[in-house]
Amino acid sequence: MEMVKLTIDGQLVEVPKGTTVLEAARLTGIEIPSLCYMKDVNHPASCRVCVVEVGPRLIASCTLVAEEGMNVKTNTPKVREARKMSVELLLSNHKRECTSCLRSENCELQTVSKDLGIRELSYEGDKTEAVCDDSSWSIVRDPEKCILCGRCISTCSDIQTVHAIGWAGRGFETRVAPAFDRSLGDSVCINCGQCIMNCPVGALHERENVQDVWDALNDPDKFVIIQTAPAIRVAIGEEFGMPIGTSSTGKMVAAMRKLGFYKVFDTDFAADLTIMEEGTEFLGRLKTGENLPIMTSCCPGWIKFVEQFYPEMIDNLSTCKSPHEMEGALIKAYYRDKFGLDPEKIVVVSVMPCTAKKFSVKREMMNVNGIEDVDIVLTTRELARLIKEAGIDYMNLKDEDFDNPFGESTGAAVIFGATGGVAEAAVRTVLDIVTGKDLQDVDLTQLRGTEGIKEASLTLPDGTVLNVAIANGLGNARKVLDAQKSGEKNYHFIEVMACPGGCVTGGGQPIIDAKQQEKCDVRAMRAKAAYGEDAGKAIRKSHQNPYITKIYEEYLGEPNGHKSHELLHTHYVKRSKF
Ligand code: FES
């Protein structure tokens, strides 16, 4: 590897050719502040917070490539003054309601202002006046807080290839907006919330439903039942100061019980159910050869992506509802009957790592006979806010277990939150069914890892080779679908999670700022916690969950049977592109 030598603050530094000065400094332990820059996502050099002195010039270090013999100064009066001025100008046009902003204490503009010692503003002038866009079921956009860094645009366009938002206007009128200044709810946005995850300030956040949950809990007539997705337990602890990738399942359950929920269920139960339904559907399609490859359907952002951009492949999607919808439907049918509850009085709250699920529960087809499967969706962040508002001391809670009958799950269900997890869970069950054996090595490590696209081939006893593709991030999903469509690839099973890394880093999860993300692999750390939970489970295959066996015997009949289709399956619609 070709190396270059340069001097940073008098220190001789050697870095690979092509390294930027910002990266070189950080590799050396010299801190340069940054704001618009986000590694592997956004490098527009627009905020000028990262300027350094090179000879007589001040240059943005995030795009300045290190050169042999370069002499860089990162901490001179001229540099400090320039950085302060840039941030003060940003603050002068920022809706500064920091004490009540959702991103307070987790705002990169706030951090950089504090770090630069900004105490008062020298500039007063016109302020952007714009209406807060709350037209989406999932995402709220407040342009008055936007600092025009462009991270959301890069995320939506380059990573997700959705292009729901872009630049509009010129000069002071420059703004981020959907095409033709439509509202977000009227755009091609697929509701994944990855723009929220990469926004450095409070300009983007989820549509909050915390008060709706309080209202339900405070209504003595309601039975408010909560369920949590697999990825919540490996991330929520971070909201209370736990290290990234710490699993805190027992504390999470205890906190929800303290909040007053009638029952605390685990969506993992329905993840096991999904494997029964989707696995059966897959084996059926393999027999007939119809609608292959089967494409997973747990992720609502991905579903909307297919409906909008690949409508010709809608029939390839599994008809299984997302696991929390399945569980919601069962709570409002099976559980209601079993315990004699009035369906009108049941409120199902799902805690999801995902903002798109706030949208998907509103889809017309997510109900049974007019009764919505799920009433309210909270993100992981919102559940943490609920716990904080209630004054619960999360860190000192004693572990508690979920309630049954929807509280028991297998290791296969726990890994649904990581990219490759659904495929691995499905393969564990499908292989057992087709071989008639109890597969001993359930750690299918070839399906694990955070690469954008993974492939694997499995040979069945009759010699059939199954080609599996796993994609995370919709830009990668697009590549997989295009390869399938062109005939370059011949997959039988495609797993897609819209969010890079899968649900563990979904749009509703705790937000990790850009600098911290540079220092650690959040996706891998949270996934590791999920695989750790899996390894610790006594049962690791969905079809061996005794509660799953029982619900088929007692109520559903058989996988893909009449009752299952009524409650657990759905259909999709073509959506027009704007
Ligand atoms: Fe370098 Fe914004 S210009 S961080």
Side-chain angles (χ1 to χ4, degrees):
M1 187 187 296
E2 204 178 333
M3 305 293 281
V4 293
K5 284 186 189 147
L6 70 158
T7 306
I8 305 178
D9 294 342
Q11 202 173 321
L12 191 63
V13 178
E14 192 171 14
V15 291
K17 194 171 181 200
T19 306
T20 64
V21 168
L22 181 74
E23 287 166 339
R26 286 182 179 172
L27 282 172
T28 319
I30 295 169
E31 194 42 68
I32 295 176
S34 59
L35 193 53
C36 64
Y37 169 78
M38 190 167 207
K39 192 169 164 45
D40 301 330
V41 175
N42 196 45
H43 319 105
S46 61
C47 76
R48 320 305 289 177
V49 167
C50 66
V51 289
V52 293
E53 222 176 313
V54 182
R57 295 190 303 154
L58 285 174
I59 311 178
S61 62
C62 62
T63 48
L64 177 64
V65 176
E67 287 175 11
E68 186 70 30
M70 195 179 247
N71 186 11
V72 179
K73 291 176 186 159
T74 74
N75 183 23
T76 65
K78 195 169 154 186
V79 163
R80 289 196 300 273
E81 202 46 46
R83 288 176 185 165
K84 262 190 171 177
M85 186 195 291
S86 296
V87 175
E88 279 185 52
L89 284 167
L90 284 174
L91 288 168
S92 73
N93 187 27
H94 184 70
K95 182 155 87 179
R96 296 193 304 281
E97 48 177 34
C98 302
T99 49
S100 56
C101 179
L102 271 180
R103 289 294 297 274
S104 187
E105 296 185 347
N106 186 13
C107 167
E108 295 182 41
L109 179 61
Q110 197 178 47
T111 304
V112 88
S113 308
K114 196 169 82 180
D115 290 351
L116 291 174
I118 295 171
R119 300 283 174 268
E120 54 189 45
L121 296 186
S122 322
Y123 308 102
E124 277 301 336
D126 288 347
K127 274 189 180 278
T128 297
E129 283 180 21
V131 179
C132 187
D133 179 357
D134 63 357
S135 59
S136 160
W137 285 109
S138 304
I139 298 165
V140 176
R141 237 171 38 84
D142 186 348
E144 293 186 357
K145 288 186 184 168
C146 178
I147 60 167
L148 302 177
C149 66
R151 284 193 200 171
C152 53
I153 295 175
S154 304
T155 304
C156 189
S157 301
D158 303 338
I159 311 278
Q160 299 294 60
T161 65
V162 171
H163 301 274
I165 45 175
W167 294 113
R170 292 285 184 276
F172 191 72
E173 302 297 320
T174 303
R175 61 198 180 278
V176 175
F180 313 115
D181 272 325
R182 286 175 188 264
S183 64
L184 204 56
D186 194 21
S187 76
V188 292
C189 170
I190 50 95
N191 306 72
C192 69
Q194 284 299 306
C195 54
I196 298 173
M197 301 306 280
N198 290 344
C199 177
V201 294
L204 287 156
H205 59 83
E206 68 271 39
R207 184 161 168 169
E208 276 200 294
N209 293 102
V210 171
Q211 190 55 47
D212 298 331
V213 175
W214 280 130
D215 291 346
L217 285 170
N218 290 333
D219 185 339
D221 253 7
K222 302 285 187 203
F223 299 97
V224 191
I225 296 173
I226 195 163
Q227 55 167 323
T228 57
I232 313 302
R233 66 209 69 196
V234 297
I236 191 168
E238 294 163 29
E239 292 282 337
F240 301 94
M242 287 180 166
I244 294 169
T246 307
S247 193
S248 61
T249 314
K251 287 185 191 301
M252 178 185 77
V253 174
M256 290 187 287
R257 205 162 273 131
K258 266 191 178 303
L259 282 166
F261 289 99
Y262 176 68
K263 292 288 169 193
V264 180
F265 289 147
D266 192 354
T267 312
D268 287 20
F269 169 85
D272 279 333
L273 198 60
T274 300
I275 292 302
M276 299 303 293
E277 293 294 324
E278 203 168 271
T280 305
E281 193 181 11
F282 178 43
L283 289 170
R285 290 193 196 185
L286 273 179
K287 239 184 230 160
T288 63
E290 279 176 13
N291 297 329
L292 287 171
I294 192 170
M295 305 195 302
T296 55
S297 57
C298 310
C299 169
W302 152 242
I303 297 288
K304 190 165 183 251
F305 182 82
V306 174
E307 289 176 326
Q308 284 176 172
F309 301 114
Y310 292 87
E312 68 280 13
M313 296 186 82
I314 280 181
D315 289 341
N316 292 83
L317 288 165
S318 160
T319 59
C320 289
K321 289 178 180 173
S322 184
H324 83 115
E325 294 279 357
M326 286 192 182
E327 193 149 312
L330 284 174
I331 290 168
K332 292 195 178 178
Y334 165 77
Y335 186 80
R336 171 202 68 187
D337 289 349
K338 200 172 164 86
F339 294 93
L341 300 180
D342 177 350
E344 297 290 316
K345 294 184 176 176
I346 298 176
V347 178
V348 174
V349 178
S350 296
V351 186
M352 297 287 121
C354 174
T355 48
K357 291 209 165 83
K358 287 178 183 271
F359 157 76
S360 66
V361 293
K362 301 295 174 192
R363 295 172 66 108
E364 277 174 16
M365 41 287 215
M366 291 303 179
N367 67 71
V368 178
N369 301 326
I371 297 175
E372 287 187 342
D373 298 334
V374 170
D375 300 281
I376 303 170
V377 173
L378 295 180
T379 60
T380 313
R381 298 188 292 269
E382 288 173 283
L383 175 60
R385 277 175 222 147
L386 210 60
I387 294 169
K388 286 175 189 172
E389 280 182 34
I392 293 168
D393 180 3
Y394 190 84
M395 295 303 283
N396 287 311
L397 288 171
K398 291 222 176 351
D399 288 357
E400 291 182 20
D401 291 328
F402 287 105
D403 292 309
N404 275 321
F406 304 134
E408 293 298 329
S409 62
T410 69
V414 179
I415 58 175
F416 258 58
T419 171
V422 178
E424 182 170 343
V427 170
R428 288 181 191 177
T429 285
V430 166
L431 282 185
D432 267 19
I433 291 172
V434 295
T435 61
K437 292 182 186 156
D438 187 6
L439 181 75
Q440 291 306 302
D441 184 11
V442 294
D443 291 310
L444 305 169
T445 49
Q446 68 270 39
L447 304 177
R448 299 182 185 178
T450 54
E451 300 94 313
I453 298 173
K454 290 173 291 211
E455 292 178 320
S457 292
L458 306 156
T459 307
L460 300 183
D462 65 358
T464 310
V465 177
L466 293 184
N467 298 320
V468 178
I470 295 161
N472 64 93
L474 291 172
N476 293 318
R478 192 181 279 281
K479 287 180 196 158
V480 167
L481 294 192
D482 289 347
Q484 178 73 29
K485 272 178 65 182
S486 69
E488 185 194 333
K489 298 282 183 181
N490 179 26
Y491 299 119
H492 301 92
F493 185 102
I494 298 176
E495 178 210 284
V496 174
M497 298 188 189
C499 293
C503 308
V504 289
T505 33
Q509 292 282 67
I511 295 173
I512 308 295
D513 72 32
K515 267 199 217 168
Q516 216 181 334
Q517 282 192 45
E518 272 181 50
K519 291 176 189 152
C520 62
D521 187 345
V522 181
R523 296 169 194 170
M525 291 162 89
R526 289 184 185 157
K528 192 174 167 207
Y531 289 115
E533 285 241 341
D534 166 34
K537 289 270 190 180
I539 303 174
R540 298 178 67 191
K541 296 176 193 167
S542 298
H543 58 286
Q544 293 176 346
N545 181 339
Y547 283 84
I548 291 287
T549 312
K550 194 170 171 210
I551 202 166
Y552 278 111
E553 283 171 2
E554 224 178 66
Y555 188 72
L556 290 171
E558 56 181 357
N560 284 201
H562 175 72
K563 200 79 182 165
S564 289
H565 270 286
E566 187 189 329
L567 295 176
L568 312 178
H569 291 253
T570 186
H571 64 277
Y572 313 102
V573 292
K574 281 185 188 180
R575 290 173 192 268
S576 57
K577 283 190 258 182
F578 298 109

